[in-house]
């Protein structure tokens, strides 16, 4: 792993090498090359240093429920990140500070939907089987997440930014196979649960101010 201080020094020299002062530019470029050779740093290393990764725990170690993976994917898209899953955690990969904000937003909304999930389960007929309650609760969560995020515009990335994030995932991460989340929802049987989730999810205002290119997150409640 290359020291961040070294990368910052090299990037600073490369910026100075763009100076209109030819002497200053030449000295800065020479210094950048010297540091890159000394620490075996490539231009790819410098580019990839702009990509960051933040992780948040899932409710499952291997196969999280489909509503939870949907939340992770929606949050990632809103903040211009990619989301992957492994070892019981979601990774949010993106540029600069975006992954940190995405991971935080995910943790807040996951905590909120889990709370609403328990409240919903308590409204169900006590005579229902536990598996039936779990299935209906999953459907509720799916509806809640859909409405909580539907009005928020995804952050558009340039093709260069997308390529850089994909390169980071390919180069710096070990992603094993396709994620196969657990899907217990039965649309025919659980439509009322989905509607109940949508009704509550529509009240969420966590994303006031999100959807613009600034992507500022304002945490609120419902």
């Amino acid at each position: 792993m290359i020291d961040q201080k070294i990368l910052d020094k090299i990037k600073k020299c490369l910026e100075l090498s763009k100076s209109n002062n030819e002497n200053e530019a030449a000295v800065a470029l020479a210094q950048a090359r010297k540091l890159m050779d000394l620490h075996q740093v490539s231009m790819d290393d410098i580019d990839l240093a702009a990509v960051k990764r933040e992780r948040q725990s899932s409710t499952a170690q291997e196969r999280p429920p489909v509503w939870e993976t949907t939340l992770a994917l929606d949050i990632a898209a809103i903040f211009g990140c990619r989301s992957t899953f492994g070892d019981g955690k979601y990774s949010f990969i993106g540029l600069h500070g975006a992954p940190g904000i995405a991971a935080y937003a995910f943790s807040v909304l996951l905590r909120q939907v889990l709370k609403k999930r328990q409240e919903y389960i308590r409204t169900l007929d006590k005579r229902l089987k536990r598996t039936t309650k779990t299935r209906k609760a999953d459907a509720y969560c799916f509806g809640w997440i859909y409405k909580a995020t539907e009005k928020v515009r995804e952050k558009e990335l340039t093709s260069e930014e997308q390529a850089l994030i994909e390169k980071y995932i390919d180069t710096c991460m070990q992603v094993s196979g396709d994620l196969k989340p657990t899907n217990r929802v039965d649309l025919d049987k659980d439509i009322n649960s989905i509607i109940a989730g949508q009704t509550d999810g529509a009240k969420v205002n966590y994303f006031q101010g999100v959807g613009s290119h600034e992507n500022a997150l304002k945490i609120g409640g419902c």
Side-chain angles (χ1 to χ4, degrees):
M1 199 72 175
I2 301 168
D3 192 299
Q4 186 61 46
K5 291 182 179 179
I6 298 299
L7 289 171
D8 290 341
K9 285 181 180 179
I10 294 172
K11 285 192 285 186
K12 185 176 180 180
C13 289
L14 290 173
E15 283 299 314
L16 289 173
S17 72
K18 300 174 185 177
S19 170
N20 291 328
N21 184 314
E22 292 184 5
N23 184 58
E24 182 181 69
V27 170
L29 185 57
Q31 181 64 14
R33 286 176 174 168
K34 180 179 178 181
L35 287 169
M36 290 173 72
D37 290 342
L38 179 63
H39 297 282
Q40 296 183 320
V41 176
S42 67
M43 285 304 299
D44 279 351
D45 293 326
I46 295 169
D47 290 338
L48 290 175
V51 183
K52 307 296 180 185
R53 177 172 70 142
E54 293 289 341
R55 305 183 78 195
Q56 281 292 340
S57 295
S58 166
T59 59
Q61 185 65 27
E62 293 183 359
R63 293 189 62 188
V66 69
W67 61 262
E68 187 183 280
T69 60
T70 299
L71 177 61
L73 291 170
D74 286 351
I75 294 295
I78 287 167
F79 292 100
C81 297
R82 275 283 310 278
S83 175
T84 63
F85 179 85
D87 299 325
K89 293 180 182 292
Y90 293 97
S91 289
F92 295 91
I93 305 103
L95 299 173
H96 309 297
I101 300 174
Y104 177 66
F106 173 79
S107 69
V108 170
L109 288 178
L110 179 60
R111 186 165 59 246
Q112 180 67 17
V113 72
L114 287 173
K115 177 183 176 184
K116 300 298 288 186
R117 175 190 177 88
Q118 290 305 313
E119 292 175 1
Y120 178 70
I121 288 175
R122 287 196 288 270
T123 70
L124 297 175
D125 191 328
K126 291 182 173 57
R127 292 171 295 180
L128 291 175
K129 295 179 180 178
R130 184 176 180 179
T131 54
T132 302
K133 289 182 179 180
T134 299
R135 193 192 73 230
K136 289 185 176 297
D138 278 9
Y140 172 90
C141 292
F142 189 80
W144 191 96
I145 290 163
Y146 174 77
K147 277 295 182 181
T149 61
E150 72 166 347
K151 294 180 181 179
V152 191
R153 193 177 67 199
E154 296 180 2
K155 186 180 188 303
E156 295 183 7
L157 297 174
T158 65
S159 57
E160 290 80 8
E161 289 171 333
Q162 292 177 16
L164 192 56
I165 292 172
E166 292 298 330
K167 188 172 186 177
Y168 177 92
I169 293 172
D170 292 340
T171 305
C172 305
M173 296 178 62
Q174 291 183 340
V175 181
S176 56
D178 295 328
L179 173 63
K180 296 180 179 178
T182 301
N183 185 8
R184 291 178 283 250
V185 178
D186 187 323
L187 292 177
D188 293 330
K189 296 179 180 179
D190 303 321
I191 188 63
N192 289 336
S193 297
I194 293 174
I195 292 172
Q198 290 177 334
T199 300
D200 288 342
K203 302 172 186 176
V204 173
N205 64 350
Y206 289 128
F207 294 105
Q208 291 179 0
V210 176
S212 64
H213 289 293
E214 290 78 16
N215 277 318
L217 176 63
K218 180 178 179 181
I219 299 299
C222 62

